[in-house]
Amino acid sequence: TRAAQKKRERRLELQERKLHAPLVDRSYLAELPPPAVVSVVGPAGVGKSTLIRSLIKHYTRQNVSEIRGAVTVVSSRKQRITLIDCPNEVTAMMDVAKVSDLVLLMIDASFGFEMETFEFLNILQVHGFPKVMGVLSHLDGFKQNKKLRKTKKKLKHRFWTEVYQGAKLFYLSGLEPSGRYAQRDIHNLARFICNTKYRPLIWRNHHPYLLADRFEDVTGDSKTQEDPLCNRSISLSGYLRGTYLRAGQEAHIPGLGDIIVKSVTSMPDPCPPPGAQRKRGLGDKEKLLYAPMSEVGGIVVEKDATYIDIADHHVVLSKDDIDPEQGEGVQMIKSLQQSRSELAEIVDDARLQFFADSKVITSGDVDNAENPESSRIRRKAKFDDDLSDDDSDGNDDSDDDDSEEEEAEFSDEEGRPQVGDNDGQERKEVPVFDEDSSDDEGVVRAGNADTDADSDSGDDEDAEEEAGMKWREKALATASSSAGQRRRPDLSAYVYGKNSSGKDRNGLEEKADDTDEEDFFRLKSDLSRTNDGSVRADGLQENGDEGDTALDVNFQESASLPITDFADSDNDSMDENAIRKLRSKFVNDETDAAAENDNENHGSFEDLETGEKFGTSMSSEEENNDEDESEEEEQQELVGLEAELEARKQRKMKNKAAFDKSYDSKKENGKGRSDGDAEIEEPAVLQQAVSDEQKALNTGEFNDLNPRERELLEGFRPGQYVTVTIENVPCEFVRFFDAKRPVVVGGLKSSEGNSSWVQLRMKRHRWHRKVLKNFDPLIISVGWRRFQSIPMYSIQDTNGRMRMLKYTPEHMHCMATFWGPVIPQNTGVLCFQNLNPNTPNFRVAATGVVLGMDQSVPVVKKLKLVGHPYKIFKKTAFIQQMFTSELEVVKFEGAKIRTVSGIRGQIKKALKEKPGAFRATFEDKVVMSDIVFLRTWFPVQPKKLMNPITSLLCEKADEWRPMKTIAELRREQGLTIPVNKDSIYKDIERKERHFNSLKIPTSLQKALPFASKPKASQATKAKTKDTYMGKRAVVMEPEERRLVSFQQQVNTIAKDKDRKRKATDKARAAEKAKKMEIAQRSLNEYRKQEKRKRHRAVGKEDARKKAKQQASET
C-alpha cells in the first residue's frame, strides 16, 4: 500500500542520513596500544594539578608533589592513560588539542566560564574535536543550595550548547584534608575515563607522532665547553602513536620548526600493563606510574643533568672536624654536612635590606614578583542570555536538579571487597582488578587509606634499596672474576658455519630460505629425548621442566669434546675431529646430507592441519620415482588449501550476514520492518569484510621478517616506546626547556616538507571584534605547524572570477591565499592575530578549511582607466589620456568602453599623432564634455612569507614577538593614516547646462500633423513678466475685492479646523497606544506565567518517569 511505501522510503532516508565516510582505525597496527592521552585543560587556578594528583593517587596509591610533563599511569588491566597538565598558553592549547584523546575541561564554578575555555573549544573544533568531559570545581564556595543548583544548571546548559547535548559534566564537591578532591568524585570520574571509547581522527591516522615525556641533551661535553651557544643534539622519548615512524623521516616540533629524525630507537616499555612483562623475581612489583619529569621514584630530570635521590639512612657522612689544612672543597662539603638546616630553608629565611630605612626584602616577595599568574587578569565570558536567566529561574529547579546532580555517579552495589564497618563511617576500598565487570574492563579501584599506603611504601623502598645494594655487589664480583678470562670462541661458527652476526667462517653473509612447509609440518626427530634415548610424545624430558627446549644435547655424557678446551684455547682454531664431532650433535647442512642417505636419521613429518602422518618406510628408489608426483601433489595441496580458505571465508561472511539479518529483524520487531530490508545492510557487511581482509593482509605481510628487518622496511610501529634523536637544535631549546610545556614530535609525509600557495575557505569568527584587513599578518595553525603568514582575501563572482577583497565580509565565507607548507585537502585551519595572554577580547580571529594547492594564484582586482575625447566625428572620436604608449593600446584593442552618460563604444586602433591616443567608435555621437572609462581586471600576486613560531626557543611563550600589523605600527609611532585625495568620497557638483529652445521651420510645421504642430496656447503660457501682459496692472472692482477677501477668510477658517482636528487625532492615537502597551505587557506576563507552569509540570513529569524507570531497572 501507499502507507507502507512511505514508511519504507522514510526508513531508507534515515539510514542514508546515518551513512558517512568510513574513518580508518589504525589501532590494529600496534601489538600493545599506546596509552590514551588525557589532557586537563583550564585557566590558571581552577585545580588542574590537584585533579591530576588525585587521579594518580586513585590509580597508583602514590603521591606526586609536582606535576611536570606527561604522567603515565595504569588505569586497568588492559588500559593505560597519559595525563598532561595544559598550561594557560594558546600555543600549549594548540599542541594539546592535536594529540589529546580525551579532554577534561575544568571550569571554576564560582567565577563562571572564562575566555580561555571557549578559545580552547574552538581550537578543538578545528583540529578534530576528541572526547570532551567537563569538570566543575570550587563548588564548596557556595553557601546556599539554591544558588548552587542554579549555577550548576546554568553552566551545564551552556556547556551542552558548546559541546553537544548530553555531554558529561562532573562536579567536584570540595577538597579533603589531604589536599585532594573527594574520593567518591574521583572514583566516578576515573570510571568514566576507563569506559571512554575514542574515535579515530583523520590527521592522526595518517601521521606518526609522539608526546615527549623525557628529554635529554646528548651533545658532547667538549663541544659545549668550547662553544656554549653551539647547536645541540637532543633525544626525546615517548610512546609512538598514529602510523609508522622511520629514521631519516621529516618531522615537525611545534614551537621549534622542521627537523630530520636522525635515529629512532625502540626502548622497553617503562609502564607496561599488568602481566605484559615477565617478573624477574617474586619481590618485583607491577610498575603503575611513569613520570620522569615529576621527580617520581627519586629521579629528577633537568635540562642537562639527571639527579638520583638517595635515602638518608644510606648516606654515611664523615664525622671529622674541619681541618684548615684541607682543601677548600673538602671544607665546604664538611660545612654543608654539619649544617642542621637544609639549603632551601636557609634561602627562605634570608633577608635583604639595601638601606637602613628601606623595606626588608624576603624570598616570598621575590617569588610573588616573578609569578606571572599573580598578575593575570581573569577574562570572564559574558553572554546575552546571562541577564535574562538570572531572575527567570525560581524554586522549580529543586526536583529535576536533584536527579541531575547524581547522573554521573555509580552505585556501589557490585560486591567489591571493602575495608571498614557500615555504621556510617567512610568505607575504604581495596584496589582490585575486576575481571568480571564488562563495563569498566578491570578498573583499578583504590581507596583513600593514605596512612597505610605511605607506611607500606617506606618499607618497600628500604627493601628495594637493600636488594639493589646486593645486586650491585654481585655484579661487581662477576665483572671482576670475568675480567681476566680470555675470549671464548664463537661456537655457532663451528656448528653452523657462521657466527652470531649471520656470517659464515669466511666472512660471507648467508640468506635464510623460508619455506611454507615450516608453518604446517613439524619434524618428529626434533622432539626431546630422555637420557636413555627414548622419545617423549609431549616434547618434554622425563625429569625436566616444561620450559625446556625440544632439542637437548647433554655435553657431559654423550659428547666426547671437553668444554674446558674451548675456554683454555688461545685462538679460534680447533681440531677438525673435534669440530666434526661437535657439528654431528646439531642439525646443519652435514646432518641433512647424511639424513638423505641414511633413513634412520630421517624423521617423519605430521601435517598439523589435517593430522595425516608420513612415516619412514619409503625406500630411496620409490622416493626417486615419486619425486615428480610429490611436486604435483604439493601444488594441488596449495591450490586446495587456498580454495578451502576462500570457502571458509565465504561461509563466515554468509553466517555473519544471516546473524545480522536475524538480529536486526528482532530489534526492529513491531516497527513495520519487512524481510526485503535485509539488503540495506549488505554494503556495510561487505565493506567490513573488505576492511578486515585488508587489515589481515597488512598485518601478515612482514610477519616472516625478524624485528630488525621489519623496523628497517616498515618502520617503528605505533604503541612502541621509542627515543628519537635530533641534531642541530638551537641551544635556546635546551636553555629554556620547561617540562610543563608539551613537546610534540609530529611526522610529516614526503610532500609536506615543500611549500606552495595554499588556498582555503575561511570565515571571520563571529566573536572577533574587528574585521580582518587584506595583507595583514595572521598566525596560522594547521596540521602540526603554526606559523605567521600574510593572507590575501578574495571572493568568487558569478562568472567564476576571483576578485580581491580589502576586508573579510560580514557573516560570509571568503577565499584566502597564503604561502605555506603543502597541506592535504579538508584540513582545518585556525587563525590568530595576537597570542598575548593579556588580551581581553576573543583571540581566535578566523577558522577555515584547506581547499587545495596551486602554484598560480588567479586573483584579480578591479582597475578603471579614464580618458577624454579631443576630436569628435559623427560616431567616431579620438580619445587621449587613457594609455601612455601605443603598446598599451594594442593590448586593449577590441575592449569595451563607456561614457558617463551611458553611451557604449569600442577601442579600434592606436593613433600615431599622440602617444597613448586611439580611435574609438560609439553607438551615438559623444560630446567634448563626456568622460570615457574602461573597466578592466589586474592580476594581484600575494606576498610570499612564512615565519615559523619558535615559542620553545623563548623562556616564556609570550616572549615570542610576531610581525605587527600596519595599524599597530602606526599606533606605536603616532602616525596618521595617509589620505589619497582621489580616494575621498565627495559630492559631485555639475554645472547646469542650458540648451537652446527647439525651433521648427515654418515649412516643416506645415508638413506636420495637427497633433505635432506647436499650438498658440503654448506661446501664451511661455510669456514671462518682461512682456506687456506680465507687467500690466490688474485693478479689481469693489465687488471683486469683497469676494476675494471672503474667499481668503473661508480658507483660513478651514485650515485652522484641519490643524485642530489633526492635533486631536494625534493625542487620541497616543493615548490608545499607551493603553495597548499596558494590555500587551499584562498579556506577556500572563503568557510567561503560563509557560513557566507548563514547563514546571513537564519537568516534574519527566523526573517522575525517570525515577520510575530507575526503580524498575533496580
Side-chain angles (χ1 to χ4, degrees), residues 1015-1050:
K1015 305 297 188 296
S1017 59
Q1018 294 180 359
T1020 305
K1021 293 179 181 179
K1023 291 181 180 181
T1024 61
K1025 295 181 179 180
D1026 297 336
T1027 61
Y1028 168 74
M1029 296 299 295
K1031 291 181 179 180
R1032 68 174 183 170
V1034 178
V1035 180
M1036 292 185 295
E1037 295 293 334
E1039 185 65 21
E1040 292 178 350
R1041 285 198 301 269
R1042 188 179 63 82
L1043 293 176
V1044 170
S1045 177
F1046 177 75
Q1047 186 66 32
Q1048 290 178 352
Q1049 293 174 359
V1050 171

Side-chain angles (χ1 to χ4, degrees), residues 139-155:
L139 295 177
D140 50 350
F142 291 91
K143 303 303 181 183
Q144 299 178 0
N145 291 332
K146 180 180 179 181
K147 187 176 181 181
L148 176 61
R149 288 195 302 268
K150 290 181 64 176
T151 304
K152 282 183 179 181
K153 185 175 182 180
K154 185 178 180 180
L155 294 178

Side-chain angles (χ1 to χ4, degrees), residues 283-486:
D284 294 346
K285 293 184 177 180
E286 298 287 355
K287 192 170 183 180
L288 303 179
L289 175 63
Y290 178 67
M293 297 290 184
S294 300
E295 303 181 11
V296 176
I299 299 178
V300 181
V301 180
E302 291 190 356
K303 301 175 183 178
D304 53 356
T306 301
Y307 301 96
I308 301 177
D309 186 15
I310 303 176
D312 294 339
H313 60 274
H314 288 288
V315 180
V316 180
L317 304 177
S318 58
K319 302 299 183 181
D320 299 337
D321 296 335
I322 299 177
D323 190 358
E325 297 180 357
Q326 294 177 343
E328 183 179 358
V330 177
Q331 297 180 14
M332 185 182 300
I333 294 297
K334 287 189 175 182
S335 63
L336 290 176
Q337 293 177 1
Q338 295 178 2
S339 177
R340 297 183 178 180
S341 59
E342 297 182 357
L343 182 61
E345 297 177 359
I346 297 175
V347 173
D348 292 339
D349 296 338
R351 301 289 187 272
L352 179 62
Q353 187 176 11
F354 290 100
F355 304 101
D357 55 348
S358 63
K359 181 182 178 181
V360 178
I361 302 175
T362 62
S363 60
D365 299 335
V366 177
D367 294 339
N368 295 333
E370 293 180 353
N371 188 11
E373 302 298 341
S374 59
S375 60
R376 188 181 76 89
I377 300 175
R378 304 185 72 174
R379 305 183 299 156
K380 184 175 181 61
K382 297 182 179 180
F383 309 97
D384 295 338
D385 54 355
D386 292 349
L387 301 177
S388 61
D389 293 339
D390 292 339
D391 300 328
S392 60
D393 296 328
N395 298 326
D396 54 337
D397 300 330
S398 57
D399 295 332
D400 44 339
D401 280 328
D402 293 338
S403 60
E404 292 169 358
E405 195 169 333
E406 299 176 357
E407 63 180 358
E409 297 185 359
F410 287 89
S411 60
D412 195 8
E413 299 177 357
E414 299 177 6
R416 304 188 191 94
Q418 297 177 354
V419 179
D421 300 329
N422 297 330
D423 53 355
Q425 298 179 358
E426 185 177 1
R427 296 181 296 177
K428 304 177 182 179
E429 300 181 0
V430 179
V432 297
F433 292 102
D434 192 358
E435 299 178 355
D436 300 333
S437 178
S438 59
D439 296 334
D440 54 358
E441 298 180 359
V443 182
V444 181
R445 302 179 182 85
N448 58 348
D450 300 335
T451 56
D452 298 339
D454 296 338
S455 61
D456 295 341
S457 61
D459 299 337
D460 296 339
E461 289 177 359
D462 298 341
E464 290 176 2
E465 291 172 356
E466 293 177 1
M469 295 297 295
K470 294 180 180 179
W471 178 83
R472 294 189 187 94
E473 296 175 358
K474 185 177 180 180
L476 291 174
T478 305
S480 61
S481 63
S482 61
Q485 294 183 0
R486 288 167 290 182

Side-chain angles (χ1 to χ4, degrees), residues 236 372 490 513 525 544 638 691 708 765 817 825 858 930:
L236 299 172
D490 194 355
D513 297 332
S525 61
L638 292 176
S691 177
R708 179 59 181 168
H765 202 282
T817 306
Q825 292 183 354
D930 276 334

